[in-house]
Amino acid sequence: MTIHLEPTVAEQIRQRYLQVDTSNVADVLDELDLPDQGLAPAFAPYPSGAGKLAGWAHPILGEMREYPLGDRDPDKMKACAELTPGSVSVWAGPGEGVCFFGELIAIGMKERGSVGALVDGGVRDVAWIGQLGYPVYARYRTPVQSIGRWKVVDSGVPVTMPGATTATVEVRPGDFILADEDGAIAIPAAAVEHVLKRAEELGGVEVEIRRELGAGLTLANALAKFGHV
């Protein structure tokens, strides 16, 4: 994972991102003329109560490829061993109908300090993963294993993920991944700190709007006072 930040600072940033919403992050990216960082609506938490996902991207690339069941995909294990504290494993590459990992790989990733996964494919053992406190956002779930069908071919390299407003979104090592009830979004590494500060500002305004609406301010007057948020 390529993060040019001192580890304590990187973790402080990650913790602050856990307090902001993807919707505000998306609005800030629009302000920066980065309007196409949202990921496809198909990405959803597994299980549904997995919680917010926030961390530094470490991409893992695979492809559909037949190989002997006994090989057990050692390249997958190698890629997972590269994960560092605060990282989100970003699983990419062609593949349909199979899971890219299940409970045991999730345990191994969490042991490395990884804080969640974003999967352009399937996962299984959903109920057990839910007990790990390891947020996983994926396109689908399936009982069908990857061994013998889908193989890791590279890691720590730029990958493409399905986009919300474009066909694909490039995710590079050290970009930031944020996902919540509204969906998932990728924040380019160079913009991470600016986006965070501005998203926190927008969130603060929203708190004040909700407070005043609760105290009786009409929506029309709130819009006149605060503008569009």
Side-chain angles (χ1 to χ4, degrees):
M1 182 174 52
T2 306
I3 304 174
H4 302 294
L5 291 170
E6 194 273 329
T8 301
V9 174
E11 179 59 15
Q12 290 172 346
I13 289 172
R14 194 186 75 81
Q15 289 293 330
R16 288 166 61 193
Y17 262 105
L18 285 168
Q19 306 305 314
V20 301
D21 297 332
T22 55
S23 56
N24 285 335
V25 166
D27 290 352
V28 176
L29 289 168
D30 280 348
E31 293 176 356
L32 296 177
D33 198 25
L34 293 168
D36 298 314
Q37 296 301 124
L39 301 179
F43 287 103
Y46 288 95
S48 59
K52 186 171 287 187
L53 173 66
W56 306 91
H58 183 89
I60 297 174
L61 180 65
E63 65 183 18
M64 295 296 286
R65 179 194 297 182
E66 292 186 12
Y67 60 95
L69 287 173
D71 285 0
R72 309 297 293 182
D73 198 357
D75 291 330
K76 178 186 289 186
M77 304 307 296
K78 180 182 176 182
C80 290
E82 296 172 352
L83 294 169
T84 55
S87 62
V88 167
S89 58
V90 178
W91 298 74
E96 291 295 333
V98 302
C99 78
F100 290 7
F101 68 86
E103 176 196 9
L104 295 182
I105 296 296
I107 289 172
M109 291 190 291
K110 186 176 180 180
E111 287 176 347
R112 297 289 304 171
S114 174
V115 293
L118 178 70
V119 189
D120 182 16
V123 292
R124 72 177 188 177
D125 304 326
V126 172
W128 299 110
I129 289 174
Q131 295 184 24
L132 297 176
Y134 185 79
V136 173
Y137 282 67
R139 281 198 294 111
Y140 58 87
R141 82 282 185 271
T142 174
V144 181
Q145 69 174 342
S146 63
I147 296 173
R149 300 182 176 93
W150 188 87
K151 193 175 191 309
V152 169
V153 296
D154 210 344
S155 60
V157 296
V159 297
T160 57
M161 303 290 277
T165 56
T166 56
T168 60
V169 175
E170 185 175 58
V171 178
R172 294 177 172 271
D175 288 351
F176 200 90
I177 301 298
L178 185 67
D180 60 18
E181 295 87 347
D182 288 333
I185 197 161
I187 303 130
V192 165
E193 293 182 76
H194 174 88
V195 170
L196 174 59
K197 182 177 179 180
R198 180 70 178 123
E200 288 174 332
E201 292 172 355
L202 292 180
V205 172
E206 288 183 343
V207 168
E208 181 62 17
I209 291 174
R210 294 186 190 105
R211 188 190 68 78
E212 295 207 19
L213 288 172
L217 185 69
T218 66
L219 178 59
N221 287 337
L223 292 173
K225 180 175 181 179
F226 294 101
H228 171 73
V229 177

